[in-house]
Amino acid sequence: EDELRKELEDLMPGIATLQRNLEEESARNNKVMKDLKDAEDRLSAFMSEEKERERILERKREKVEKAQEARATQQLQVENKQKMADDILHKAKVSTLRTMKAQESKRRALENAENGEPEELEEEKDETEELNAIEPIRATKEPNYYEQRIARDEAKIRHERERRRLTESDPEVALEKFQRAKKDLDQKLYQIDKIDANVSSMTDDLKERKKKWKHFRSFISEMTDDNFNHILNRKDSAGEIKFNHKEKTLDLIVQKDGKDKKTKTHDVKALSGGERSYTTLALLLALGECLETPFRVMDEFDVFLDPVARRIALQTMIEVAKTFEHRQFIFITPQDLSNIKTDPKLKIFQLNPPKRSELVGGPEQQILPFSE
C-alpha cells in the first residue's frame, strides 16, 4: 500500500499538470466554439441582410425596367405626336402656298384682262424651297382659348347638322334627303357653269373693249396733238403734246417761233405769263375738240394775256365755237369786249356795275337785270 501510495503521489503532479492542460484545452475549445457560434450568427445576419439587399435590388431593377418601358412608350408617343405635328404643319404650309398662288394668279388674270393680254400658263416647279420659306405663325394665346373656340365651332356644326336633320337614321328618309341634296347640288353646279360661261364671255368682251379703247385713246391723243399745234399756229407758234398713258402723264412742248426750232422748250414755266396762258387755252380748246359735252364754260381765261395774245385768243375761241353749232360756248371775262362784234351766233351779255351802298356790309352787287 505504501508503494502504491508513493507511486500515486509521484503521479499526482503529472495528473495535476494534465488536469490543468485539460482545463486550458477545454477553455480554448469553449472559446473556439463561442467564436464559431458568433461567426455563425454573423454569417446568418449577413445572409439575411444579403437576401434583403437582393430583394431591394430586385424591386429597384423592376422599377428601372418599368421606367424604361414607360420612357420607351413616351418616346414613341412623342415621335408620333411630332410626326402628326410635322404632317399638320406641312399641310398648313401647302394650303397657305396654294392660297398665295391662287391670289397671285387671280391678280395677274385681272391685270391681263385690264391690259387685254392673254393669260400665261404657269409651269410646275418644285415647291420645296417655297414651302420651307413659309414660317408658321406662333400662337400668342393659351391653349384653353383655342380649345374653347374649337368647342364653339363643334357646337355650331352640331347645331347645323341638327337644323339640316343630318342625323337621320331611317334609310328611306336618308335616301330622300340625299336625292334632294343631289338635285340642289346639280342645280348649283349648272348655275356655276352658266356663271363661268358668262364670266368667260364678259372677259373676252372686256378684252375686246380694252383693245378698242386703246385704239380710241390713241386716236384722241393724235387728234388733240394736231388741234393743239393748229391753234398755236394762229400765233405763229408750234407745239406738241406727249401723252404717256403708262405713266399717266402729259408733257407740253412749245416752240415760240414756228420757223425757229431753237425756240422749242419742254418747260412751260419758261414761257411768259401771256404765252403760258395762251398755251393753256390752246390745250383746253384742243381737248375740248374731243369731248361730246353740249356746254363748255371758260372763266377768266384772258387775265394774264397781253393785248395781242388776248385778241388772238378771243378770235380763235369764237371761230372754234362757231364751227360747233351743236354745242354752246360760254366765255366769262372781266375785260372790255367793245371791239367784238355780235352776230346771230355770237351774243354778249354785260352785267351792270355794282351799286355802292353806305350801309354796313360794303358794296352790294346787283345781278339782275343785265343788258345785252
Side-chain angles (χ1 to χ4, degrees), residues 35-51 53:
D35 292 341
L36 288 174
K37 190 174 185 320
D38 293 338
E40 288 179 356
D41 294 338
R42 289 197 299 273
L43 180 60
S44 298
F46 176 78
M47 294 300 294
S48 299
E49 292 177 357
E50 184 67 18
K51 290 181 179 179
R53 282 195 293 269

Side-chain angles (χ1 to χ4, degrees), residues 137-143 145-146:
I137 300 176
R138 301 300 179 183
T140 58
K141 298 182 180 180
E142 296 294 330
Y145 171 78
Y146 299 101

Side-chain angles (χ1 to χ4, degrees), residues 87-226:
D87 293 340
I88 293 173
L89 179 61
H90 180 72
K91 292 179 180 179
K93 287 185 176 182
V94 171
S95 177
T96 302
L97 182 61
R98 295 287 187 273
T99 303
M100 293 170 60
K101 286 189 174 181
Q103 293 176 351
E104 181 66 19
S105 177
K106 185 181 295 184
R107 185 186 64 80
R108 285 199 300 266
L110 291 175
E111 291 181 355
N112 293 335
E114 292 179 357
N115 298 327
E117 299 176 355
E119 296 184 3
E120 298 179 357
L121 297 178
E122 296 184 358
E123 298 180 357
E124 295 185 358
K125 299 180 180 179
D126 187 11
E127 299 178 346
T128 304
E129 294 183 359
E130 295 179 344
L131 290 175
N132 293 333
I134 298 176
E135 293 293 335
I137 300 176
R138 301 300 179 183
T140 58
K141 298 182 180 180
E142 296 294 330
N144 294 335
Y145 171 78
Y146 299 101
E147 292 176 357
Q148 293 175 1
R149 288 193 59 181
I150 293 173
R152 287 197 300 268
D153 293 339
E154 290 178 348
K156 290 181 181 178
I157 293 173
R158 288 195 299 271
H159 177 72
E160 188 65 20
R161 290 177 62 87
E162 293 175 358
R163 188 181 69 83
R164 297 187 180 185
R165 297 179 181 178
L166 299 178
T167 58
E168 192 64 53
S169 59
D170 189 354
E172 295 182 358
V173 177
L175 178 60
E176 181 183 355
K177 290 182 178 180
F178 168 75
Q179 292 174 349
R180 186 168 60 250
K182 187 175 184 303
K183 182 179 179 181
D184 294 338
L185 176 62
D186 293 338
Q187 291 178 354
K188 297 298 182 183
L189 292 175
Y190 175 72
Q191 294 177 359
I192 291 174
D193 292 338
K194 288 186 65 177
I195 292 173
D196 290 339
N198 291 334
V199 170
S200 178
S201 177
M202 293 177 66
T203 302
D204 295 338
D205 183 64
L206 177 62
K207 292 179 180 179
E208 186 64 24
R209 287 173 178 265
K210 196 82 171 179
K211 182 178 179 181
K212 292 180 179 180
W213 174 74
K214 287 184 177 180
H215 288 303
F216 180 71
R217 185 178 63 180
S218 300
F219 171 74
I220 293 294
S221 301
E222 294 175 0
M223 190 171 67
T224 302
D225 182 49
D226 293 339

Side-chain angles (χ1 to χ4, degrees), residues 19-32:
Q19 185 68 33
R20 288 193 299 272
N21 293 335
L22 179 62
E23 290 176 357
E24 292 176 359
E25 191 67 27
S26 297
R28 285 196 294 273
N29 290 337
N30 290 334
K31 184 178 180 182
V32 171

Side-chain angles (χ1 to χ4, degrees), residues 247-307:
E247 299 294 335
K248 297 181 180 180
T249 58
L250 182 148
D251 295 326
L252 298 179
I253 302 174
V254 180
Q255 185 174 326
K256 298 180 182 180
D257 189 350
K259 299 179 181 180
D260 187 3
K261 293 184 179 181
K262 295 181 180 180
T263 61
K264 182 184 294 186
T265 177
H266 292 261
D267 187 6
V268 181
K269 295 180 180 180
L271 302 175
S272 63
E275 292 171 342
R276 189 161 55 246
S277 298
Y278 187 81
T279 302
T280 304
L281 179 63
L283 174 62
L284 294 176
L285 290 174
L287 291 173
E289 294 287 339
C290 305
L291 301 178
E292 295 297 332
T293 55
F295 296 96
R296 292 174 59 187
V297 181
M298 299 181 67
D299 184 18
E300 296 187 1
F301 57 89
D302 56 353
V303 173
F304 298 104
L305 295 180
D306 56 78

